[in-house]
Structure formats: structure tokens, C-alpha cells
Amino acid sequence: MRSDSALPFPTLQVVLPLPLPQWFDYLPPADHSPGADDIGKRVQVPFGSREMTGVVAGIGQTTGDGPELRQALGLLDAAPLLHGELLASLRWLARYTHAPLGEVLGTALPTLLRQGEPMPDTHAWAWRLTALGVEGRERLRQGTRPRRFAELLHEGTREIESRPPRDEDSLDAHMDDWRSAARALSKRGLAERVAVPASTLAPSPQSGPELHAEQQAAVDAILAARGFAPLLLDGVTGSGKTEVYLHAIADCLRRGKQALVLVPEIGLTPQTLARFRQRLGVPVLALHSGLNDNERARGWTAFARGEARVAVGTRSAVFTPLPDAGLIIVDEEHDGSYKQQDGMRYHARDFALVRGKALDVPVILGSATPSLESLHNALGGRYAHLRLGQRAGDAKPPSVRVQDVRKRPLEAGLSAETTAAISSALQAGGQVLVFKNRRGYAPVLMCHDCGWSAQCKRCGTPTKSSPMTVHGAGRRLQCHHCGARQAVPPACPDCGGLALQPQGIGTERIEERLREKFTDVPVLRIDRSTTQRRDALAGHLEKLGDRPGILIGTQILAKGHDLPHLTLVVVVGVDEGLFSADFRAGEKLAQQLIQVAGRAGRAQKPGEVWLQTHHPDHPLLNTLINGGYHAFAHSELEQRQAAGFPPFAHLALLRAEAKHVDAANAFLHAAKSALTAAFPSPAERGAQNIEIQGPIPAPMSRRAGMHRMQLLLSSPSRRELHALLDSALPVIYELREARKTRWSLDVDPLDLY
Ligand code: ADP
Ligand code: ZN
Ligand code: ZN
């Protein structure tokens, strides 16, 4: 009936969580007249033969002359789920990453909300004693968990009506594993779980140490910042950056505002959360990949409703709605886990800055080893540079000793001197961390008779296949790129010989050796193979307690953990990292070394770091050890400038992978033509500041059987680079060659692999 009217009438422009750039037009549901206040609401629509949940991104119009439009089935929200600053920032992110808006919104929303579920209840849970419990509590056996739990609930209260229930967050902070006691009491009718509005929980902060002068200056600078201000908190490990955050957050809470803290993937430990909760005295929402869909949706909603005040979360927590924003903190801002490497490739630190600007609040970037990007901005005066040069309290910086291991006999990678140092550290009652950035038993399995080595059939560089890593005490082979696994063959597949030998050193092999050598202390290996679950690491560390013992680990141990009894850190060879082709390899290695060394001597006991290397004269090691991170960073920045790499140039990487290398190649050639054709005009072409390299094989040119090619765009002008992408991408999406390959665009790629 509408289609015979010549007057235009409004449609809903819908984006769907798909990697498609289009917006889809739908007729509004019956009895609904669309308006601007529908933008940001979720909408159920027919799509092909199925139903999907999308988001209204705009209001269009049609006269009914065009193709027949389908009708939306219904709007799911009375008020927009996405609106204001968050929606505007996400639109910006879609433009910046050149990702479809539907995909960006789909990434930003918690799964349940993306799928169309209603916003969940957001009350907090709390516990209190029942009347029966108040009466019966003293009959519970002294010293047992149920008794301790009952006393905790009873503390300082008389009348049952006036007794505020204890929220679960604060219980976490006061008693380990209170849940089993709670269950036991509730079964007997002595305690009950009650829902309380999250916002009614009163803060009861605990005080921390008195700030030292540098910390105080940093806090003053942060509190003085009104409105948006990027601040780089550049403080050596153990200098008390977290204390600075806590003061800044406490101030934000006093002003009735919300604070968002981002931490790296494996930095969000129960230890960190407990510290935040105790000190701030309010519930602190943890947002990380270990949550189930319900918990995620609840956290997001509690923030959207302004009920929750503080969130500590990993990468995707940057999408948390902040209607009462006061402060954003990015801890360990240099960490690579802030960059999402698939789907919508965004950088949470960079997006945090964009949001901070839009929200007009300060953004603190903290690190002992700032990324060269952030340091460059601080040195150029674009960020305030707050420095903490001293360790807090009585802790002293660790002393570093470089050990030249050329021509020395090594056992499982360890020199005799290193083993002796471990032994004396243990005897003095300390703990030891042995760092080796290679999981598994050995990086290569080789035949001593003919030189054959085990390789992954599906992965490799342009010149050779990737070696399979030896695991399981030498019994299993595994490819760290595609996950392929197989048993170690009984004999050499080439010559039939029996001389198959693991070559090189992985953490498992070091563990085996140290267990043989040090039989009377715990030897714990911590890496991605042993620590699938987040809590597992905390569990391991707890097992160790304050006894002497040895931890062996990969970079998982280099991050954020406070290990007060650690007196010796041994770095077993970093030589692989010294000669990598990746332009960021030096930066990553320097950060890793400083961070892992920074685990030593964080409390009263002084710390020592032993660095074993075959390249004691390598300039990177020299600069780093004699001059520290900043000396290294300055020289690295000079090299980046000379070579035209970030932060002096801006990169975008177009990747393509396909079963047949020709398909990937053909797509990138066509894309390159589209890019070249999109240069404004022949006359201006000479003035273009954009370089296009490729197509060339990716450094990891085969992975999981797919051929991988790439096209690298670089320009000193971010604006010009983006303008070019803006005009060429619509063409690239439509390329015939695009259908035969999987392609993606990575703006500001972290690495070129
Ligand atoms: P960072 O985050 O810079 O590595 P933390 O904030 O975790 O450092 O502080 C390191 C250690 O020093 C912690 O145990 C902390 O409690 C302690 N600390 C921090 N500030 C002070 C201070 N002003 N006085 C005494 N101890 C402090
Ligand atoms: Zn052989
Ligand atoms: Zn593989």
C-alpha cells in the first residue's frame, strides 16, 4: 500500500555483524514510524533465509520505486543501546580501521546483546545470616570455614534488618574460597544470598603507603588535568605506578565518576583485582576472556546504567559504556595484546585515547618500557611525561650481569656459573625465575646421522618449512604456528637411523634439568602449555608461597606479577630475538628483558639478573644494559626515523591468503591497481607521499597450508594514507579476485607477519 505513494517515506538503515561494508535498508516494522531516536537500537531483520539481529545506523528514505524492500521484524530496544559518545567513537573506529560498521558494532557488543537478548539484571549479589544463623552461629565449630564465614557476615552488626549484606566482591577480598562455606550454611538455612542494587554498596577504602615525591607529583599532575589529557606515566618496574592509578581512581570515585582500567591479557590476576578492591573499597568489575556470556553482558549493562564505577579489563573492555566517565588508564601500554590480530583489527590503547578525547577525560598510559609510539609523543610534547625513576619503598633496582657463554659447556642451556648462582640464591632463602621465551622441550628435532629435521608440512617462510617443536619430554612434535601435532617418529623418516635428537632449549628441558639438580625445592614451569586457565598461574604462585623455589617461564611471567621473594632472574639466551627481520623485534626484546629483570628484588631483598648470551657485544644489549631502556629507545627511534618506520611513518598492510598462491597474488595485484587508480589525479601523483610495496610473500608465507601474500602501504602522512584507502576500498571490496581469497586490511599493523 505504501509503494503506490509517490511521497518518500522513511526506512531503517541497518548494519549487521558481518564483514560486509553495506548498510541494509528495511521497511520499518508495522505501526512504527522511524526517527532519529531509533539510531543505536537493535533490530530483528530477515536476511537471506534467516533472521539476524542488527543495529539501526541511520534513517533513510525510499519512494518505493527501487527494489522491493523487506520489512524489519521488530525493534528490540525502547531506548538506543548504543548512543552518544560510544556510538560516535565506534563510528570513528570503523572509519579508522576501514572495517564495516556492522562488524565494529558486533565486536564491541557483548555476545548476548549482539544476539538480541534483553539487557540483563544488574543487581549485585550479597550474603547475610538468617535469624537462624545469627542465633546458631556460635554453635558452629571454632576455626572451621563455615564458622569463619558466619563471623564475617556477623561482624559489627546487631539487628538483622539493619545489617547490610556483604557483597560477594568484598567477601572475595576477605576470605579465600568462602563460596563452599556459604553453600554449606545456606543448605542449613543459616545464611542466604540476596540481590542488592549495585550502586548502594558504600565505599570503604583502605589506605595505602604514603606516596613518595615522584608519585605525589604524578598524582598532582593527573588530578590537575581537567578534561582530556594524555599522560604517559613512565616509571621503572616497582616504582609504584599502581599506587598512582589507585589515587587517581579514588579521586575519580569521589567526584562520582566512573573509571576504566585496561590491563594486558595475562596481567589481570586475582592478585591485581584484590588489590584494587581492597584499596578502593568498592566493587571492581573484572572484564576478561574467562567470563561467560552472562557475566559479560551484565558488566556491560551495569556500566551502561551508571551503576558500576570501576572496571579492570583486558583488550575488549575498551568498549565499556562510560556514561559518567572520569578517567581511563592503560597499564603496560606497550603490551602487544592490546592489538586485536584478527577480525576487526583495532588497538585498544589507541582507541582508549580516542574515547578519552571524546569523553573529555584524562587518559593515563603507564609502563616501565613505553612503546616507541607513546614515547615519541611524550618527547614531542603531545603527551604529558610523568616519570618515576626510583623504586618505591626500600626496594633497590636489580643489578644486571651479562654472561658470555661462547665456548662454555652448557647443560640444558645453563652454564655452570648460572647453576651455581641459582644454588646460592636458593640457599639464601630466595626464589629464582628462569626465563626462556620458548615453550616446549626443544625447538627442533634432528637426525644426527643424515641431518633431517622434523618440519611442519603446512607452515613455513619463503625459504624453508617451519620446524616442529619437541614437547612431552621428547615424545611429541607440535607446530606452534598451526597447532599440528604428531608423535616423534621411532626412526628417521629419511635414513631410518635411530639418532633423532632434540636440538636447542625450551622451557620443558630446563625444567627437567633443574628438577634433577634441585631435588629439595619446588620447580614450577609456567607457560601457555601449563597455564590454560587464568587462575592457574595464581594457583602455581600460591603453591610456592614464600619458600625457596624455582619458576621457569616464558614471557607470561614477565608481566605485572609481584613476586616479593624473587632475588634472582636468569635469562637463558635471547639471541633469537637479536637477529629478527621484524622492525619491532628490537623493541619487543628490550621490553621483555627489562620487564622480566624488573621482577627481581621488588621488595626488601635485593635482586640480581643474569643474562646468558652468545652475543655480549650486540649493540642492543650494550645500550640496554649500560644506558637503560630510555637510551635504547632513543637510539631505536633514530633508526626508525632513518628507515622510515613507525612512529615516523604510518603503515597499512593488506593481507591475502588462499590455497593457491596465484589467487592471493591476483587479488593483491588487482588491489594495487585499484589503489594506484585512486591517487587523486596524474598531476598530483608525483606529490603523493604513499609508497606501496608488493605484492610479496609474507615473512611467514605458509600457515596451516594457506599461502600468504601481502601489500604494504606506508606514508609519513596518516591523512593521505587514509584518504587513499577511503577511495580505493569500495573498489577492492567488489573485486572479482576478492572472492577467491581471504583478505584483510590491518591499519597500524603491529608486525608484518
Ligand atoms: P609498579 O606498578 O610501578 O610496578 P607497584 O605500584 O606495584 O609498582 O609498587 C611496587 C611495590 O611497591 C608494591 O609492593 C607497592 O605496595 C609498593 N609501594 C608502592 N608505592 C609505595 C610507597 N610510596 N611506599 C612504600 N611502598 C610502596
Ligand atoms: Zn636421518
Ligand atoms: Zn604448522
Side-chain angles (χ1 to χ4, degrees):
M1 107 214 129
R2 275 170 164 175
S3 56
D4 52 28
S5 153
L7 288 174
F9 52 89
T11 60
L12 298 174
Q13 297 178 315
V14 176
V15 294
L16 296 167
L18 297 169
L20 295 173
Q22 300 90 334
W23 294 16
F24 300 92
D25 270 302
Y26 286 91
L27 297 176
D31 304 327
H32 183 83
S33 54
D37 58 351
D38 287 331
I39 294 175
K41 290 182 186 170
R42 292 170 301 162
V43 59
Q44 199 68 14
V45 295
F47 187 74
S49 59
R50 47 187 178 143
E51 266 183 36
M52 285 192 78
T53 306
V55 174
V56 179
I59 304 299
Q61 57 179 8
T62 180
T63 54
D65 290 340
E68 187 99 9
L69 294 184
R70 297 174 81 177
Q71 188 173 35
L73 303 168
L75 288 158
L76 301 181
D77 302 305
L81 186 71
L82 288 168
H83 57 91
E85 173 276 330
L86 183 54
L87 182 59
S89 293
L90 291 170
R91 285 187 197 267
W92 177 91
L93 187 59
R95 283 196 302 278
Y96 187 79
T97 57
H98 299 271
L101 181 61
E103 200 182 15
V104 172
L105 302 188
T107 306
L109 285 175
T111 311
L112 290 184
L113 297 179
R114 181 176 71 233
Q115 292 169 343
E117 296 291 322
M119 283 168 92
D121 269 351
T122 43
H123 50 246
W125 289 103
W127 285 83
R128 67 174 173 210
L129 291 179
T130 59
L132 201 59
V134 175
E135 206 188 300
R137 123 195 97 82
E138 285 177 342
R139 287 193 294 280
L140 295 165
R141 198 139 56 80
Q142 280 286 359
T144 58
R145 268 178 196 286
R147 175 67 183 261
R148 276 176 35 227
F149 183 66
E151 295 299 345
L152 193 57
L153 295 187
H154 190 70
E155 239 168 51
T157 58
R158 242 166 264 116
E159 304 297 317
I160 186 153
E161 295 76 27
S162 66
R163 178 177 311 121
R166 277 269 192 173
D167 67 287
E168 298 193 337
D169 267 343
S170 87
L171 288 170
D172 279 337
H174 282 91
M175 187 173 163
D176 304 332
D177 191 29
W178 54 267
R179 283 169 201 271
S180 59
R183 271 196 303 275
L185 290 189
S186 105
K187 259 196 211 131
R188 297 162 59 182
L190 302 178
E192 61 187 353
R193 191 179 192 221
V194 290
V196 293
S199 51
T200 62
L201 299 169
S204 49
Q206 276 175 21
S207 59
E210 199 169 323
L211 297 180
H212 59 70
E214 287 180 325
Q215 284 173 318
Q216 189 61 54
V219 170
D220 291 346
I222 295 162
L223 301 199
R226 287 284 163 253
F228 172 62
L231 306 122
L232 178 62
L233 181 61
D234 180 350
V236 300
T237 53
S239 58
K241 294 183 289 297
T242 312
E243 286 301 321
V244 173
Y245 303 154
L246 288 167
H247 280 258
I249 299 169
D251 172 72
C252 169
L253 293 175
R254 279 194 294 273
R255 290 183 286 120
K257 306 280 190 188
Q258 296 173 312
L260 173 65
V261 183
L262 300 182
V263 294
E265 219 127 82
I266 46 192
L268 182 49
T269 59
Q271 194 186 22
T272 312
L273 274 175
R275 184 167 170 198
F276 273 72
R277 284 174 178 150
Q278 276 164 16
R279 290 290 304 286
L280 297 170
V282 294
V284 171
L285 199 68
L287 298 170
H288 54 79
S289 55
L291 297 184
N292 64 34
D293 289 348
N294 267 316
E295 292 168 320
R296 264 179 187 276
R298 268 172 52 110
W300 196 92
T301 306
F303 259 83
R305 291 183 177 148
E307 293 167 355
R309 312 311 290 176
V310 185
V312 182
T314 52
R315 184 175 61 225
S316 65
V318 75
F319 300 123
T320 306
L322 297 167
D324 302 320
L327 178 67
I328 302 178
I329 296 171
V330 184
D331 188 28
E332 309 291 356
E333 63 87 30
H334 64 278
D335 196 279
S337 72
Y338 286 125
K339 173 83 190 229
Q340 174 145 314
Q341 303 280 19
D342 53 17
M344 197 252 294
R345 290 165 170 78
Y346 66 97
H347 200 301
R349 175 198 60 216
D350 298 348
F351 190 52
L353 286 159
V354 169
R355 292 201 64 194
K357 184 155 192 213
L359 291 162
D360 203 25
V361 301
V363 180
I364 308 174
L365 309 181
S367 178
T369 53
S371 64
L372 295 188
E373 277 82 356
S374 299
L375 202 56
H376 180 59
N377 280 324
L379 296 174
R382 288 172 295 278
Y383 296 175
H385 199 176
L386 313 175
R387 297 198 56 174
L388 309 179
Q390 307 280 312
R391 284 195 157 183
D394 305 326
K396 297 278 166 297
S399 59
V400 180
R401 162 199 290 240
V402 178
Q403 203 195 5
D404 179 359
V405 291
R406 282 174 297 187
K407 298 187 193 153
R408 303 234 185 155
L410 299 176
E411 280 185 71
L414 302 169
S415 71
E417 291 87 339
T418 302
T419 315
I422 295 177
S423 179
S424 46
L426 293 171
Q427 261 157 31
Q431 295 174 349
V432 178
L433 168 60
V434 180
F435 173 80
K436 174 76 192 177
N437 210 2
R438 261 184 199 266
R439 282 187 300 133
Y441 188 80
V444 175
L445 180 72
M446 195 189 244
C447 170
H448 203 53
D449 289 344
C450 76
W452 171 90
S453 68
Q455 295 170 339
C456 181
K457 289 186 192 61
R458 311 195 301 157
C459 301
T461 67
T463 51
K464 62 181 204 306
S465 292
S466 298
M468 302 272 285
T469 303
V470 186
H471 280 256
R475 288 185 301 273
R476 200 157 36 78
L477 294 173
Q478 193 181 325
C479 172
H480 284 186
H481 302 291
C482 70
R485 283 156 178 261
Q486 64 186 73
V488 163
C492 172
D494 262 17
C495 73
L498 297 176
L500 293 177
Q501 290 179 356
Q503 301 277 313
I505 307 298
T507 49
E508 271 186 38
R509 193 169 195 170
I510 298 177
E511 177 193 16
E512 180 187 83
R513 165 78 189 143
L514 291 175
R515 275 186 195 229
E516 282 164 16
K517 186 90 194 160
F518 300 101
T519 47
D520 49 355
V521 298
V523 175
L524 302 173
R525 175 167 55 89
I526 296 181
D527 56 34
R528 211 143 38 88
S529 326
T530 63
T531 312
Q532 297 297 354
R533 282 182 350 109
R534 190 172 307 272
D535 303 351
L537 176 56
H540 282 309
L541 296 178
E542 212 165 279
K543 242 190 291 171
L544 193 57
D546 54 8
R547 291 176 296 161
I550 305 177
L551 294 164
I552 302 155
T554 54
Q555 81 260 32
I556 196 166
L557 272 179
K559 297 189 188 182
H561 303 289
D562 220 350
L563 305 166
H565 307 285
L566 201 66
T567 54
L568 175 64
V569 170
V570 175
V571 179
V572 185
V574 291
D575 299 348
E576 307 91 30
L578 292 173
F579 301 99
S580 162
D582 177 5
F583 76 93
R584 273 188 227 272
E587 179 184 354
K588 280 190 229 164
L589 179 62
Q591 289 167 342
Q592 233 169 46
L593 281 177
I594 299 285
Q595 294 285 348
V596 76
R599 298 307 114 205
R602 282 168 69 89
Q604 284 75 19
K605 302 179 185 178
E608 228 185 311
V609 179
W610 282 46
L611 175 59
Q612 287 191 182
T613 177
H614 286 90
H615 303 276
D617 302 322
H618 193 284
L620 186 154
L621 290 182
N622 259 322
T623 319
L624 196 60
I625 284 153
N626 300 321
Y629 183 75
H630 286 82
F632 157 80
H634 285 119
S635 97
E636 188 75 5
L637 275 170
E638 275 169 21
Q639 290 177 31
R640 295 265 186 99
Q641 184 159 28
F645 273 121
F648 302 94
H650 304 280
L651 306 182
L653 189 64
L654 198 58
R655 296 187 176 91
E657 56 175 60
K659 281 241 152 50
H660 297 286
V661 68
D662 295 346
N665 225 343
F667 167 74
L668 290 179
H669 274 291
K672 187 173 187 174
S673 306
L675 287 160
T676 317
F679 280 152
S681 70
E684 283 169 73
R685 223 169 268 178
Q688 278 295 329
N689 258 325
I690 299 170
E691 232 185 283
I692 306 182
Q693 282 175 46
I696 50 165
M700 182 94 214
S701 60
R702 278 184 311 120
R703 189 158 68 195
M706 301 290 268
H707 289 272
R708 308 169 74 236
M709 302 285 295
Q710 61 189 30
L711 197 62
L712 180 65
L713 286 75
S714 79
S715 171
S717 160
R718 195 189 292 265
R719 198 183 46 77
E720 282 181 39
L721 179 65
H722 279 260
L724 178 64
L725 289 169
D726 278 335
S727 49
L729 273 169
V731 182
I732 294 177
Y733 267 104
E734 296 301 321
L735 289 173
R736 196 165 33 85
E737 292 85 349
R739 280 178 238 144
K740 298 203 186 87
T741 180
R742 265 214 335 244
W743 68 274
S744 62
L745 176 69
D746 190 349
V747 173
D748 305 332
L750 222 49
D751 53 48
L752 305 181
Y753 281 72

